[in-house]
Amino acid sequence: MSRRLVSLTLDTLEDLPRGCRKCVFWELDPVSAERACADGAPELEKEAWVSQTLLEWGSCGKLIYVDGMPAGFVMFAPPAYVPRSMAFPTSPVSADAALLMTAHVVPAFAGGGLGRMLVQGVARDLTKRGIKAIEAFGDAKFGEADDDAKACVAPVDFFLSVGFKTVRQHPRYPRLRLELRTALSWKSDVEYALEKLLGSMTPETLLRPVRPATSSTA
């Protein structure tokens, strides 16, 4: 099974899930987002946002492919580019952090470490730009509440599972943070997979030659 991580561009934008491709929850303020949906062209607004962010700031998303099939994605940007970020009760995002807006792994590929790979790809990208951390708003009631935000705000459990820590508590939308130096220190995917498979037996232990016992004489 081959896995490939790529940056979001206007070309790869078309590989987002259909609902996400048309979603402008993060990219526009609530009033503008509602107007775009009413006008019937939210995908054009999303494309315009991605284009502007790419030109002014650079890469703002990552996609992961498994055997050539789109399997998941994340989107991120400075909070100044994300109008919706100020609408959360736990805002604002810290001045030294970029905002991880949303993250999604196709259910058929869930549990394979793809979320971890996506976040580490973001960490590598942002470190090169001198950014120290990623922050995100998580949904503590993901799958329970029936509202528009439920599909746009990733569950808290996802962020905790990939190393984020809560920095501001809230019953619904806590703000979480991941120091980039933490993400960059993660083990390689091969080591991580082997350790999960073999438990406490690490690859180093398996490959290390066994030394013969030495006998001592009194």
Side-chain angles (χ1 to χ4, degrees):
M1 182 172 66
S2 65
R3 297 185 292 183
R4 181 170 59 97
L5 189 68
V6 304
S7 294
L8 177 68
T9 65
L10 292 179
D11 294 327
T12 57
L13 180 63
E14 300 306 320
D15 285 339
L16 297 187
R18 181 172 298 180
C20 301
R21 174 65 181 85
K22 295 182 177 181
C23 177
V24 287
F25 175 86
W26 290 101
E27 292 83 356
L28 302 177
D29 63 80
V31 174
S32 299
E34 185 175 346
R35 185 182 303 119
C37 292
D39 291 343
E43 64 272 19
L44 297 179
E45 294 287 351
K46 193 178 191 85
E47 183 174 331
W49 183 90
V50 170
S51 178
Q52 180 181 3
T53 306
L54 285 169
L55 287 171
E56 296 180 358
W57 186 67
S59 178
C60 55
K62 298 287 181 185
L63 292 92
I64 193 161
Y65 297 81
V66 175
D67 292 338
M69 297 290 294
F73 77 97
V74 293
M75 293 186 68
F76 56 94
Y81 282 77
V82 189
R84 180 73 68 158
S85 67
M86 293 306 299
F88 284 82
T90 49
S91 62
V93 173
S94 301
D96 64 345
L99 175 65
L100 199 157
M101 299 151 55
T102 189
H104 176 75
V105 174
V106 176
F109 298 101
L114 301 187
R116 179 186 175 96
M117 287 183 65
L118 285 163
V119 171
Q120 191 166 36
V122 174
R124 291 195 189 101
D125 188 301
L126 294 180
T127 298
K128 296 175 183 177
R129 306 189 212 186
I131 296 173
K132 295 182 178 180
I134 317 169
E135 292 191 358
F137 299 103
D139 188 348
K141 297 183 179 180
F142 188 85
E144 300 177 17
D146 185 19
D147 56 37
D148 292 339
K150 64 182 181 181
C152 304
V153 184
V156 168
D157 289 345
F158 167 79
F159 292 115
L160 295 176
S161 72
V162 294
F164 281 73
K165 306 294 182 185
T166 303
V167 291
R168 190 172 176 190
Q169 293 281 0
H170 186 268
R172 178 74 190 271
Y173 295 120
R175 179 159 50 90
L176 303 100
R177 180 180 174 96
L178 175 65
E179 302 294 335
L180 295 187
R181 64 176 180 272
T182 299
L184 293 176
S185 69
W186 288 340
K187 297 176 181 178
S188 71
D189 297 318
V190 173
E191 290 177 304
Y192 180 71
L194 281 172
E195 196 165 89
K196 283 187 67 176
L197 178 65
L198 302 173
S200 61
M201 299 177 65
T202 65
E204 291 80 4
T205 303
L206 290 172
L207 299 175
R208 187 179 300 123
V210 178
R211 298 179 179 177
T214 58
S215 60
S216 59
T217 54

